[in-house]
Amino acid sequence: MMQDNHFSGESRRKFLQKLGLGVTAVSLGQMGCSTGKNTVSNAVSNQIDLTSIAGFEKISTDPSTSIGWVPISDRKIKVGLVGHGVCKFAVSFGFQDHPNIEVVAVSDLFPDRLKEMAEAARCNKTYASLEEMLKNDKDIEAVFLATDAPNHAKHAIMALERGLHVACAVPAVWATTDEADKLYEVWKKSGKKYMLFETSAFHEDVHIMRELYKRDYFGRIIYAEGEYYHFFETPLASHNNWRNGLIPQWYPTHSNGYYLCVTGQRFLEVSCVGTPSKLEQFQPQNNPYKNSFGTEIATFKTSEQGTARMIVSWDTPGFGAEAGRIRGEKGSYYNNRFEGLAKDIPSIKRPPLPPSVQGGHHGGSHGHLTNEFVKSILEDRPPLIDMPLALNLTVSGIVAHQSALKGGEWLKIPQYA
């Protein structure tokens, strides 16, 4: 299950081969579904204007995203979508618009949401739960899980054991490394594709940095920074209030992606400092986690013998962002530009999308995530954010919080490969 701290030459080459797949950064991620309410009634999600939610702003259609697209198959993968929620998340990634996908079933726990979801996905077959879908639907080949974060691993395990390919919203696991170990073992036995839909991985700047890293414009990364700033004075609406007083480093992928999704390397050790918040939801008696931290700042040792600083902050007003930058032996990338020893920098764009699919929300990442998942199945190869990378993105944050609880003590991070 756990591997050594460094890529072998072969595994590193395989990762870099995936990097040409292709991501402007920096709108807010999936936590951007704020209503300022503590709970979600059956009707709340239908009353929210998504265009008012950070990360879900209206985006102009860009015809250039399909320039150069060539179909690789006429096969249609039969997909089930699970979870509508406040953000209408399962239908926001364009599965229903992709030419190689047939959405054959949808599921949500609330009937009003399920009805709306079915209409948006142009699908007539509905299920009241994932469990019901997995038990009764024999047509499905793959699922996209946009359910509540504490159940992501449980739901992914259920789908993998049913023999389905799995795409999953972030984070991959919740709270414990034991959960990560179990998910990893089930995935290995299943032989199926698993992809984490981490939006930062297909931000334009991360895609450019990844391509430059692959072509050795940076050399070894000496220092990297990633930041996820999302101020919310009152708890975000969520199923069973899972976002209430949320531990920052339990939702680490949007910041960690600014190193891990660029390089495919790993974090080996972490020292993290948590700052107690004055906001009401972060008073330990007011949230299910007994959590007082509204901001956690993690310092990681990397498998390149470098250092990374990754911030998740819920309680600092001001601009919100998924952002980051890297500094290497040969060059650096920040503020959307490269500066370094090389002078002739290639023009790099994200890979083309089918004409019916737009990049969409969160920096134009949604359509690219869906297209990458589809291509990994059609081409029978690992997706860019496969299980090892998904767990490396997530588990490092779980251990970071453990460090914060111990006053910043350096702790080793489990390795998945």
Side-chain angles (χ1 to χ4, degrees):
M1 178 202 69
M2 310 237 182
Q3 301 294 327
D4 62 337
N5 293 335
H6 300 270
F7 276 147
S8 68
E10 181 180 1
S11 62
R12 180 177 172 82
R13 283 192 298 273
K14 288 180 178 178
F15 176 83
L16 293 177
Q17 288 169 0
K18 293 190 286 180
L19 300 181
L21 304 170
V23 218
T24 255
V26 193
S27 56
L28 290 174
Q30 294 147 344
M31 290 290 293
C33 306
S34 174
T35 66
K37 298 181 184 294
N38 290 327
T39 59
V40 185
S41 70
N42 288 8
V44 164
S45 66
N46 294 328
Q47 298 171 354
I48 296 172
D49 177 11
L50 283 182
T51 61
S52 68
I53 296 173
F56 282 82
E57 300 86 352
K58 288 183 178 178
I59 296 176
S60 301
T61 300
D62 182 4
S64 69
T65 60
S66 63
I67 294 176
W69 179 76
V70 177
I72 60 175
S73 172
D74 59 2
R75 176 186 166 195
K76 286 187 176 290
I77 303 163
K78 298 182 185 299
V79 174
L81 304 180
V82 187
H84 200 48
V86 173
C87 303
K88 312 179 194 301
F89 216 52
V91 298
S92 77
F93 283 80
F95 281 88
Q96 62 273 14
D97 299 319
H98 198 286
N100 294 110
I101 290 178
E102 179 186 358
V103 177
V104 297
V106 296
S107 174
D108 192 88
L109 297 176
F110 299 111
D112 61 324
R113 292 179 182 171
L114 183 55
K115 181 177 183 295
E116 182 184 57
M117 185 183 189
E119 292 173 355
R122 302 187 294 277
C123 175
N124 295 323
K125 193 190 302 184
T126 63
Y127 293 99
S129 68
L130 170 64
E131 290 84 352
E132 184 181 321
M133 177 187 288
L134 296 179
K135 179 180 178 181
N136 297 310
D137 202 299
K138 306 304 179 185
D139 294 330
I140 296 175
E141 301 173 72
V143 292
F144 175 47
L145 303 174
T147 55
D148 56 304
N151 278 311
H152 283 173
K154 172 187 172 183
H155 292 162
I157 288 169
M158 291 167 56
L160 289 167
E161 290 181 335
R162 164 73 164 71
L164 305 180
H165 303 295
V166 173
C168 186
V170 303
V173 299
W174 194 249
T176 72
T177 57
D178 290 345
E179 191 175 60
D181 295 347
K182 182 177 180 181
L183 177 59
Y184 185 80
E185 292 301 326
V186 170
W187 166 73
K188 283 203 304 183
K189 292 177 182 177
S190 74
K192 298 299 179 180
K193 314 300 181 193
Y194 173 97
M195 178 169 161
L196 188 68
F197 271 40
E198 168 44 45
T199 52
S200 70
F202 280 96
H203 285 166
E204 188 173 42
D205 61 345
V206 172
H207 174 67
I208 292 171
M209 287 191 285
R210 188 163 59 232
E211 284 292 317
L212 292 175
Y213 181 82
K214 179 180 71 171
R215 302 173 196 188
D216 201 30
Y217 280 84
F218 297 112
R220 180 169 64 98
I221 303 303
I222 303 298
Y223 180 65
E225 294 179 328
E227 299 147 355
Y228 183 29
Y229 299 120
H230 191 146
F231 176 71
F232 49 96
E233 190 171 7
T234 56
L236 299 179
S238 55
H239 182 60
N240 291 331
N241 291 326
W242 68 265
R243 290 189 179 104
N244 187 12
L246 176 61
I247 293 167
Q249 285 289 342
W250 281 8
Y251 210 93
T253 60
H254 295 337
S255 48
N256 287 351
Y258 271 83
Y259 176 74
L260 297 176
C261 290
V262 170
T263 66
Q265 298 281 348
R266 303 191 189 96
F267 294 143
L268 306 183
E269 297 181 53
V270 61
S271 170
C272 182
V273 176
T275 304
S277 177
K278 293 182 179 180
L279 296 181
E280 183 178 352
Q281 66 168 309
F282 294 106
Q283 305 315 301
Q285 69 274 15
N286 293 337
N287 65 72
Y289 312 110
K290 309 301 180 185
N291 173 47
S292 66
F293 299 146
T295 295
E296 290 181 318
I297 302 174
T299 301
F300 294 99
K301 295 179 182 178
T302 75
S303 53
E304 291 182 283
Q305 298 181 324
T307 303
R309 183 213 64 176
M310 299 293 166
I311 297 175
V312 184
S313 179
W314 308 142
D315 62 344
T316 52
F319 69 92
E322 298 171 20
R325 57 212 64 83
I326 58 177
R327 300 190 69 88
E329 293 175 317
K330 297 181 179 181
S332 303
Y333 194 94
Y334 53 94
N335 294 336
N336 296 311
R337 69 178 186 272
F338 173 88
E339 292 184 3
L341 301 180
K343 303 305 178 186
D344 297 324
I345 307 303
S347 175
I348 296 172
K349 295 182 178 180
R350 286 176 283 191
L353 295 173
S356 56
V357 177
Q358 282 294 305
H361 304 299
H362 294 109
S365 65
H366 282 201
H368 288 284
L369 289 162
T370 297
N371 191 54
E372 165 60 7
F373 180 60
V374 169
K375 289 178 67 177
S376 74
I377 295 173
L378 296 179
E379 297 173 349
D380 192 22
R381 58 163 175 80
L384 177 62
I385 319 163
D386 62 3
M387 183 66 76
L389 181 54
L391 294 181
N392 292 332
L393 282 161
T394 306
V395 170
S396 50
I398 294 172
V399 180
H401 177 63
Q402 294 170 359
S403 170
L405 293 177
K406 296 181 177 183
E409 179 181 334
W410 281 98
L411 298 177
K412 293 187 180 300
I413 299 167
Q415 302 297 302
Y416 302 87

